[in-house]
Amino acid sequence: MKRRTLIGLGAALAASGWSVRRATAGNRYYNGPITDHFDGTRFFNPGGTPPRGFGDLLRWQWQRDRAPWPDHVAVTAAIPDARTADLRVTMVGHATVLIQAGGINILLDPVWSHRASPVSFAGPARVTAPGIAWDALPPIDVVLLSHNHYDHMCIDTLRRLHGRRAMPVLTPLGNDTILRDAIDGIDARAGDWGDVLEGGGVTARLLRAHHWSARGTRDRSHALWCSFAVDTPAGRLFVSGDTGYDRGRPYAAAAEHGPYRLAILPIGAYAPRWFMKGQHQDPAEAVTGFRALGASWAMAHHWGTFRLTDEARDDPPAGLAAALADQGIDPARFRVILPGTAWDVPA
């Protein structure tokens, strides 16, 4: 195997949650009753597409046709107000978003590390610096953590946040164990799909998403993944973690808990489709999901910071613009917010 293929495989392993870990019998993080999406050892997407196996990962790596990416994209970092009276979102990068809602500061899937990887010397590196410098980050009241892949759960970042604020972290089942094992005293509050968690001045209902989880090769789907319906002083928000479109089922389930003032939806990491379709929606699917939700506004995330998949960096925003035009939706309603940029969301 060529050296560049080995390097590419290592990056893909890191990005998709694969790394070498000691084998352990049973579930590493959660012990609970069997349900329609937990078989006693692993969580799964009921009636959905299972994640691809290692053989498919190798096939993808051998056949990769990666569009070029820049090594660096300049960012002018934002300096947020300490609090905001209404609703403002500031893009930090990838899936990390600061939501300021009626005096409450919420942070989504916080990652300030240079790499989305289990190691510091390999794996996808940042193309954009964080859109808010660490020292400019306002007090955080609550973290919403959707799942445990390295581009969403960064232990170093969460440890630093805990040291500053000791805020609660609301997350699906099993992820609380990972956090407590890694960070002494962290206030990790976990729930299943359909459960309601409270903390930091917000109420969050955990909703189904079509994805998977892993921190290594021996803990695949041992922790749950989710999206959130979040009640804030500035209105109800829908916050999607990673998800495949899954025939629209995650959006149909979420629409039952609307209406939503704002939806934050992923648009990137979707190529090649034969490998990614089950777990990552593309921009056209994101627009269709936005319509099904009935949200007033939407913001795109999960693109342009870490080179995880094969599409060009600018393909997701371009695909979103095309899909909005195709579906007759005003592009002002579903926006791409660049790192370091804030958006005051209309009422």
Side-chain angles (χ1 to χ4, degrees), residues 3-4 8-9 22 27 50 80 123 154 187 195-196 206 268 276 326:
R3 181 174 181 272
R4 66 174 178 270
L9 176 59
R22 179 174 56 86
N27 188 296
C154 175
D187 182 2
D195 288 347
V196 175
L206 280 63
M276 294 293 171
D326 288 345

Side-chain angles (χ1 to χ4, degrees), residues 283-334:
E285 291 168 331
V287 173
T288 303
F290 170 54
R291 292 180 63 185
L293 277 176
S296 298
W297 308 94
M299 170 187 173
H301 73 158
H302 204 268
W303 73 278
T305 295
F306 299 107
R307 186 183 186 183
L308 303 177
T309 50
D310 290 354
E311 74 271 13
R313 182 179 183 269
D314 294 333
D315 281 357
L320 179 64
L324 290 168
D326 288 345
Q327 299 191 38
I329 298 175
D330 182 351
R333 290 187 58 207
F334 194 156

Side-chain angles (χ1 to χ4, degrees), residues 153-227:
M153 177 191 281
C154 175
I155 294 298
D156 287 345
T157 298
L158 289 161
R159 184 180 290 116
R160 293 172 74 188
L161 284 167
H162 174 69
R164 286 180 54 166
R165 189 71 176 179
M167 73 284 131
V169 179
L170 310 185
T171 193
L173 296 172
N175 297 293
D176 54 326
T177 302
I178 300 170
L179 297 177
R180 291 192 194 103
D181 286 348
I183 304 171
D184 289 342
I186 193 166
D187 182 2
R189 308 178 188 182
D192 201 352
W193 290 346
D195 288 347
V196 175
L197 303 177
E198 296 183 354
V202 305
T203 300
R205 182 182 297 273
L206 280 63
L207 300 175
R208 66 181 294 164
H210 193 285
H211 202 55
W212 64 294
S213 68
R215 301 289 282 179
T217 59
R218 302 296 182 179
D219 66 345
R220 181 179 249 208
S221 298
H222 285 195
L224 188 58
W225 48 92
C226 80
S227 296

